[in-house]
Amino acid sequence: MTLDTRKTHAKAQGMFFDTHTHLGSKQFDHDLPAVLERARAASITRMVAPATDLENARKLLAIAEHEPDVRVAVGIHPCDADTISGTAWIDELRELAEHPKVCAIGEIGLDYFHAPPEGFTLDAWKAHQAQVLTAQLELAAEVKLNVILHNRESWEDLTALVLPFRDRLRGVFHCFTGTIEQAQPLLERGHLISFTGIVSFKNAGVIAETARVVPACSYMIETDAPYLAPVPYRGKRCEPAYVADTARAIAALRDESVEQVAADTTRNALDFFRGWD
């Protein structure tokens, strides 16, 4: 084991890393300090907060400037792609990406589940999302940041756009719900998948099997708070503290200790995201 490897392993012993938590959600506006306090009490030592649009990115950076255990991913979520047009937005995103608290570009991707917003046909909406995603992938490669990827009923188109960047960036396919066979070609190229509280549900099915067999070096854990709370909080507002419950569910599936899951996923996250000590 090299010195650098030993250092990374030691850092990974800090327990849980919530790699995707929407701290800028309006659902946290009234009690965010208490939410963060509960996370720290549950041994969540690091949190990544992905943005959904430019305004949300600025809000998150204002939060992160006062929270040493929070980093931000800046980007335009596919469902918010209608909030931008022209080219000036990518310059603003580039400027935001230079902030020392920015660790990735995200949340970006494609979403074919939700209906197109007013003024878009389905084909035009898909094309606009693809244009916005490609511009952000190019930016990520330019500024040497990895990307947090959103997929909703768009897997083939999403991977077709991401794979050509294989030598320029890595992506984490957040809230992964597919099979290990789907994931394998991406994992072989250095990309990661990430599991939410869905993996703890009784009807998790194929997602639970994927979590059971995915290589330890290829996955991370997240809450996607305030959404997708794991058992025993299913149906309630999710928050970063609950990533520990997702880790426990995965540990049971893999027949590993929760400490091992925490160490593996934290190590993977430290390697993936920029700017952590």
Side-chain angles (χ1 to χ4, degrees), residues 197-237:
I198 294 174
V199 77
S200 71
F201 297 174
K202 289 183 178 179
N203 60 344
V206 67
I207 309 167
E209 177 60 16
T210 303
R212 186 181 71 83
V213 300
V214 65
C217 62
S218 297
Y219 80 101
M220 297 190 289
I221 53 176
E222 58 173 284
T223 55
D224 201 17
Y227 316 107
L228 304 176
V231 175
Y233 306 101
R234 186 176 182 180
K236 300 179 180 179
R237 184 189 70 170

Side-chain angles (χ1 to χ4, degrees), residues 52-112:
T52 55
D53 58 27
L54 295 172
E55 181 181 359
N56 189 242
R58 291 189 288 269
K59 177 180 181 179
L60 287 169
L61 287 171
I63 292 170
E65 286 176 351
H66 302 285
E67 306 295 345
D69 47 2
V70 175
R71 299 290 185 276
V72 174
V74 295
I76 308 296
H77 190 287
C79 292
D80 293 280
D82 61 322
T83 64
I84 52 96
S85 60
T87 58
W89 67 272
I90 198 70
D91 294 328
E92 183 172 353
L93 190 61
R94 180 181 291 106
E95 183 177 350
L96 290 172
E98 294 175 355
H99 193 287
K101 280 283 192 162
V102 169
C103 65
I105 298 295
E107 176 178 352
I108 65 176
L110 299 175
D111 190 306
Y112 296 168

Side-chain angles (χ1 to χ4, degrees), residues 106-269:
E107 176 178 352
I108 65 176
L110 299 175
D111 190 306
Y112 296 168
F113 174 78
H114 294 94
E118 186 176 354
F120 286 91
T121 65
L122 179 58
D123 287 344
W125 181 230
K126 287 183 176 181
H128 183 63
Q129 285 191 45
Q131 183 180 21
V132 171
L133 170 60
T134 301
Q136 293 181 100
L137 291 170
E138 291 286 358
L139 174 62
E142 173 192 331
V143 299
K144 295 180 171 52
L145 287 170
N146 289 328
V147 295
I148 300 173
L149 296 163
H150 172 101
N151 160 61
R152 195 101 186 254
E153 299 185 3
S154 60
W155 183 255
E156 291 184 2
D157 287 354
L158 177 61
T159 54
L161 289 172
V162 171
L163 286 177
F165 287 84
R166 61 173 294 180
D167 297 323
R168 303 171 64 192
L169 56 78
R170 298 165 67 204
V172 55
F173 291 80
H174 112 91
C175 191
F176 188 76
T177 57
T179 66
I180 192 64
E181 288 76 19
Q182 277 183 304
Q184 197 61 44
L186 302 163
L187 305 183
E188 290 171 354
R189 290 166 172 80
H191 300 297
L192 301 177
I193 59 177
S194 183
F195 299 106
T196 65
I198 294 174
V199 77
S200 71
F201 297 174
K202 289 183 178 179
N203 60 344
V206 67
I207 309 167
E209 177 60 16
T210 303
R212 186 181 71 83
V213 300
V214 65
C217 62
S218 297
Y219 80 101
M220 297 190 289
I221 53 176
E222 58 173 284
T223 55
D224 201 17
Y227 316 107
L228 304 176
V231 175
Y233 306 101
R234 186 176 182 180
K236 300 179 180 179
R237 184 189 70 170
C238 190
E239 54 184 73
Y242 301 166
V243 80
D245 297 275
T246 297
R248 283 187 275 271
I250 292 174
L253 290 167
R254 295 173 68 86
D255 194 23
E256 296 176 350
S257 69
V258 68
E259 290 80 10
Q260 185 64 56
V261 170
D264 289 342
T265 54
T266 297
R267 182 178 61 250
N268 296 338

